[in-house]
Amino acid sequence: MVANRSIRNQFLTQLIIASSILLIIFSTMLYAYIKQSIYDELSQQLVKQARYIVQTFPDYEEGEKIDAKNLKNALQITAKVIPPPHRFYSSIEWRERESNGRYFIDLIYPYNLKSQTYLLVSKDITNVSSMLKKILRSIIIINLISLILIVLYAFGLSAMLLVPITRLTKKLSSLNENFLTTIDTKTLPEEFVPLGESINKLINRIQTFVKYQKELFIGAAHELKTPLNVMKLKNDVTLIKKREPEKYIEALQLSNKTILEMNQMISSILEIGRQEGAHFELPQTIDIIDFIRKKGEDFALLAKSENKTLKLDLQPKSVVGCIQTTLLNQIIQNFLQNAIKFTPKGKKIILKTRQYDENKIKIEVIDEGPGIDESIDLFAPFKRLGNAPGAGLGLFLAKSAADAMGAHISIKNRKDGKSGAVATLILTTTPQCELPIN
């Protein structure tokens, strides 16, 4: 049997059950309170009568009835002296009984200690019992009517509460990559504002992703078409007439070089596909500082081989966090590769970490290269600095990885008066979504 996953049906069921239980408990307590109050009042009357009889008529014999005319406020009360129903003791007893269709409450009260007799004071409570039954029937009828009203109220309340959810559902169901608009959170109830803001953040990320994907495809087509046209033109010119063997060799070498560049570009595009798979990698709990230290030590050897220095300035000594290691490795590797590429020989590169906030860490790679043009979006695909070799997809991949991790990435020129750039990653050390339970 398929479980009912309707929020409205679950809400209706829970509200009706909870309200019904509460109504039954309240009605039971009300009836018990009314009954107990009436019986307490009757008990007090009988005890007063018993005390009055004991004090006023102390000489009645066993089995003798007490004339009701002599009793004070003795309406529907009878009294007589009886032997002890069990071992004599100086306390009172209560009992209810039915006789000939009528109901009575009896008080057995110690009367004479010497003769060990009791006083039986009885009161006809038939009218009281009838009244209590009417009250019980009235409470049951009221409960049934209240239950019907509760059901109607539950239907109305559930419909009202589901209006914002229905609105969000219709909004989301109408979204596609050509029609992505954010939700106006001002029209949402206060409780749904965080959900609306989260959806807007997701929509913005989707818009950015779609934008970058379109730029990537257009850029890839352009970047591949241009060398192909150049190679074809060169081959056509070469084939117009017979030439020396050296010219054919030169044309073939140029073609091989162009093919190699195109192959590198295709490899970079394939790397984007592999990275998109890494977006779904489960975060791992690691020592982030130790991870960065090991990566920095590896690149320090590469920098040394090119007569450059990579210095590690890592603080604090340890920061344990839950992150996607493949994506972090992609970003750090790109930062360090660019820094080594653009830093002249004999210059220095600094890999620096600092605690940025309670659960954030700031990672910086500072180089002594020529700096950047801050008016250019370096994170767009196929953006290159100067005449640097490469497909221009490294920073695009780094930005995509940072977005997937919920991190902030930026590249700025140095502000300390020296030439060079500062690549910054502000990383949250806790996962940005709930992890699946294994």
Side-chain angles (χ1 to χ4, degrees):
M1 183 176 179
V2 181
N4 187 355
R5 295 182 295 174
S6 170
I7 296 177
R8 184 177 185 183
N9 291 342
Q10 293 179 12
F11 175 78
L12 283 173
T13 303
Q14 293 176 6
L15 180 58
I16 292 173
I17 292 175
S19 301
S20 300
I21 293 174
L22 183 62
L23 189 62
I24 292 172
I25 293 174
F26 175 76
S27 300
T28 304
M29 292 176 62
L30 177 62
Y31 178 75
Y33 174 76
I34 293 173
K35 183 177 179 180
Q36 188 61 42
S37 298
I38 293 174
Y39 273 75
D40 287 345
E41 183 66 25
L42 293 173
S43 301
Q44 291 176 11
Q45 292 178 8
L46 292 181
V47 170
K48 286 181 181 179
Q49 291 294 338
R51 288 176 180 173
Y52 176 76
I53 293 172
V54 171
Q55 294 173 3
T56 308
F57 310 102
D59 299 325
Y60 277 81
E61 299 295 332
E62 181 180 322
E64 187 176 358
K65 292 183 178 181
I66 299 172
D67 189 355
K69 295 179 181 180
N70 297 325
L71 301 182
K72 186 179 180 180
N73 300 324
L75 183 64
Q76 293 183 323
I77 291 178
T78 60
K80 69 176 181 177
V81 179
I82 62 171
H86 44 69
R87 186 176 62 85
F88 184 87
Y89 59 92
S90 57
S91 63
I92 63 176
E93 281 190 32
W94 297 94
R95 67 188 181 190
E96 292 185 49
R97 59 186 173 86
E98 181 184 1
S99 177
N100 298 323
R102 302 191 70 82
Y103 297 90
F104 299 87
I105 182 171
D106 295 338
L107 167 63
I108 303 175
Y109 193 89
Y111 180 68
N112 192 315
L113 297 179
K114 291 181 180 181
S115 60
Q116 294 188 350
T117 55
Y118 280 79
L119 184 65
L120 176 61
V121 182
S122 300
K123 182 175 178 62
D124 188 338
I125 60 169
T126 303
N127 294 334
V128 174
S129 297
S130 177
M131 180 182 65
L132 287 174
K133 290 179 181 178
K134 291 180 179 179
I135 292 174
L136 180 59
R137 285 196 297 269
S138 299
I139 290 176
I140 292 174
I141 293 173
I142 292 173
N143 283 352
L144 293 175
I145 296 174
S146 299
L147 185 59
I148 295 173
L149 295 176
I150 287 172
V151 172
L152 295 177
Y153 173 74
F155 273 97
L157 181 62
S158 62
M160 181 185 69
L161 292 178
L162 287 177
V163 168
I165 298 178
T166 304
R167 189 182 304 162
L168 286 175
T169 303
K170 291 181 178 179
K171 178 74 175 179
L172 294 176
S173 63
S174 64
L175 294 179
N176 56 61
E177 79 173 68
N178 297 318
F179 184 66
L180 289 174
T181 57
T182 56
I183 297 171
D184 186 7
T185 56
K186 295 180 180 179
T187 62
L188 296 177
E190 182 179 348
E191 292 78 9
F192 289 92
V193 170
L195 175 61
E197 292 176 347
S198 299
I199 293 174
N200 286 341
K201 290 180 181 179
L202 177 61
I203 290 174
N204 289 333
R205 289 187 61 181
I206 293 174
Q207 288 176 328
T208 302
F209 177 78
V210 171
K211 173 187 174 184
Y212 276 136
Q213 288 295 312
K214 289 180 178 179
E215 291 182 2
L216 174 64
F217 294 143
I218 294 173
H222 176 74
E223 294 290 332
L224 292 174
K225 183 178 180 180
T226 300
L228 284 173
N229 288 335
V230 172
M231 187 167 56
K232 181 178 182 304
L233 179 62
K234 183 69 175 178
N235 290 339
D236 289 340
V237 171
T238 304
L239 294 174
I240 290 177
K241 61 180 180 178
K242 291 184 177 181
R243 300 177 183 273
E244 298 81 3
E246 290 80 7
K247 295 294 182 179
Y248 291 107
I249 294 174
E250 181 183 349
L252 290 174
Q253 289 176 340
L254 179 61
S255 297
N256 286 339
K257 180 182 177 183
T258 304
I259 292 171
L260 181 61
E261 292 175 351
M262 293 170 60
N263 187 49
Q264 290 176 346
M265 186 177 302
I266 293 172
S267 297
S268 297
I269 295 173
L270 292 175
E271 182 65 27
I272 293 176
R274 286 191 289 269
Q275 189 200 63
E276 289 181 356
H279 290 181
F280 301 97
E281 173 191 15
L282 288 178
Q284 301 177 21
T285 301
I286 63 169
D287 187 336
I288 298 176
I289 300 298
D290 184 62
F291 181 87
I292 296 173
R293 180 183 293 108
K294 291 178 180 179
K295 184 61 60 176
E297 290 172 351
D298 292 340
F299 275 87
L301 298 175
L302 178 61
K304 186 176 181 180
S305 66
E306 298 183 16
N307 194 22
K308 304 170 187 178
T309 303
L310 175 59
K311 178 182 177 182
L312 305 184
D313 181 11
L314 308 180
Q315 295 181 21
K317 293 184 178 180
S318 176
V319 173
V320 177
C322 191
I323 62 169
Q324 294 163 289
T325 54
T326 301
L327 298 180
L328 178 60
N329 179 73
Q330 177 77 41
I331 299 170
I332 300 300
Q333 181 172 293
N334 180 265
F335 280 1
L336 292 174
Q337 285 176 342
N338 286 339
I340 293 174
K341 181 191 300 184
F342 293 106
T343 298
K345 292 183 178 181
K347 297 293 184 176
K348 181 174 64 177
I349 303 153
I350 300 174
L351 175 58
K352 179 179 178 182
T353 61
R354 291 292 185 272
Q355 191 76 42
Y356 184 76
D357 205 346
E358 182 179 357
N359 63 336
K360 291 183 180 181
I361 184 172
K362 186 177 184 180
I363 305 169
E364 292 181 318
V365 176
I366 307 170
D367 63 51
E368 295 183 352
I372 63 169
D373 183 353
E374 295 186 359
S375 63
I376 298 176
D377 182 10
L378 297 177
F379 297 109
F382 304 106
K383 291 292 182 180
R384 301 182 182 87
L385 287 176
N387 296 320
L393 292 174
L395 289 176
F396 171 77
L397 291 172
K399 180 66 165 62
S400 299
D403 289 342
M405 298 173 68
H408 176 73
I409 189 173
S410 64
I411 299 180
K412 303 288 183 182
N413 287 318
R414 295 179 64 163
K415 306 298 182 183
D416 56 1
K418 298 181 180 179
S419 64
V422 180
T424 304
L425 176 70
I426 299 177
L427 177 67
T428 302
T429 57
T430 54
Q432 298 300 296
C433 59
E434 185 177 352
L435 297 181
I437 299 176
N438 294 327

